């Protein structure tokens, strides 16, 4: 992962959350938190699975349903923050926050996904092509989720999750929602 992109993500996100969000409704906050929590847990699940390099082209766990569960998790976290921050009284800043968040995700992550897929094709050739034809990039096929089972989480190892540093991202997720809760309670 390009550390400049990560730093830019963090700066952009913090700037946007601090200046443009004004959560006003507990209902939307809770719904947004649940959506974002699903995204954070998807990222945790993906990080706790064996790396592709260790096992070749990995197709277990969340990779059985999505080619890019980390990006999908990030997208869900962003949607959750947007829902949690819904505000009619601050609609212009809310709308600007959504435009910036979606625009940024499309601009940055679209390129990242394309580069990653090129590398995976170079590394795995036709195996990758077959996998990419069957498994969607970011949005799972709902019908496929009916086959979700305990077996899908069996490969998860907490030490893999911990060693990747994803725990910092999960802690940041909790910190962002604690900050948004503070803004909601104190009407900031």
């Amino acid at each position: 992962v390009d550390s400049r992109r990560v730093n830019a993500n963090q700066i952009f996100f913090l700037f946007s959350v601090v200046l443009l969000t004004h959560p006003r409704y507990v209902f939307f906050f809770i719904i947004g938190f649940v959506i974002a929590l699903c995204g954070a847990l998807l990222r945790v699940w993906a990080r706790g699975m064996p790396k592709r390099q260790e096992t070749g082209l990995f197709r277990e766990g969340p990779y059985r349903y999505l080619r890019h569960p980390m990006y999908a998790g990030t997208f869900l976290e962003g949607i959750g923050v947007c829902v949690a921050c819904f505000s009619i009284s601050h609609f212009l800043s809310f709308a600007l926050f959504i435009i910036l968040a979606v625009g940024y995700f499309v601009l940055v992550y679209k390129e990242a996904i394309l580069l990653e897929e090129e590398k995976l094709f170079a590394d795995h050739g036709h195996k990758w092509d077959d996998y990419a034809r069957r498994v969607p990039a970011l949005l799972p096929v709902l019908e496929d989720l009916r086959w979700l089972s305990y077996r899908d989480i069996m490969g998860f190892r907490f030490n893999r999750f911990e060693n990747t540093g994803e725990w910092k991202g999960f802690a940041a997720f909790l910190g962002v929602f604690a900050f948004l809760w503070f803004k909601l309670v104190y009407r900031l």
Side-chain angles (χ1 to χ4, degrees):
V1 174
D2 183 0
S3 64
R4 289 174 298 183
R5 186 177 81 213
V6 171
N7 290 336
N9 286 347
Q10 294 165 345
I11 291 167
F12 173 79
F13 184 72
L14 288 175
F15 172 80
S16 299
V17 167
V18 169
L19 295 179
L20 297 176
T21 62
H22 305 282
R24 292 293 181 257
Y25 307 104
V26 173
F27 174 78
F28 287 107
F29 182 87
I30 291 170
I31 298 297
F33 178 78
V34 169
I35 292 168
L37 181 61
C38 289
L41 292 175
L42 179 58
R43 289 181 57 88
V44 166
W45 185 23
R47 281 291 193 199
M49 299 303 286
K51 293 182 181 178
R52 286 186 175 117
Q53 298 92 293
E54 293 172 3
T55 60
L57 185 58
F58 192 66
R59 301 176 193 175
E60 299 298 320
Y63 297 96
R64 183 173 167 197
Y65 306 99
L66 296 169
R67 294 194 311 264
H68 303 285
M70 295 293 294
Y71 297 133
T74 300
F75 188 65
L76 280 174
E77 287 176 320
I79 289 171
V81 169
C82 289
V83 171
C85 294
F86 176 72
S87 172
I88 293 173
S89 61
H90 292 89
F91 189 77
L92 289 178
S93 64
F94 171 72
L96 180 59
F97 179 70
I98 289 179
I99 290 167
L100 288 173
V102 170
Y104 186 79
F105 188 87
V106 168
L107 288 173
V108 171
Y109 288 104
K110 180 181 176 186
E111 180 183 345
I113 288 170
L114 292 174
L115 290 172
E116 187 174 317
E117 292 206 345
E118 285 176 15
K119 182 181 180 331
L120 287 165
F121 177 74
D123 292 347
H124 301 286
H126 295 296
K127 284 170 126 180
W128 173 256
D129 262 353
D130 293 340
Y131 175 68
R133 269 192 289 279
R134 286 184 290 104
V135 178
L138 294 172
L139 298 173
V141 176
L142 293 179
E143 187 175 306
D144 290 346
L145 291 178
R146 69 183 171 161
W147 302 109
L148 186 66
S149 71
Y150 182 70
R151 182 178 70 97
D152 290 317
I153 60 169
M154 289 301 295
F156 179 85
R157 296 292 179 265
F158 186 78
N159 65 337
R160 289 188 196 122
F161 161 72
E162 186 179 35
N163 292 339
T164 62
E166 185 60 31
W167 65 271
K168 294 175 188 174
F170 192 79
F173 153 76
L174 293 174
V176 165
F177 271 89
F179 177 74
L180 292 174
W181 180 255
F182 181 81
K183 288 183 84 169
L184 173 69
V185 169
Y186 292 101
R187 304 298 232 178
L188 301 174

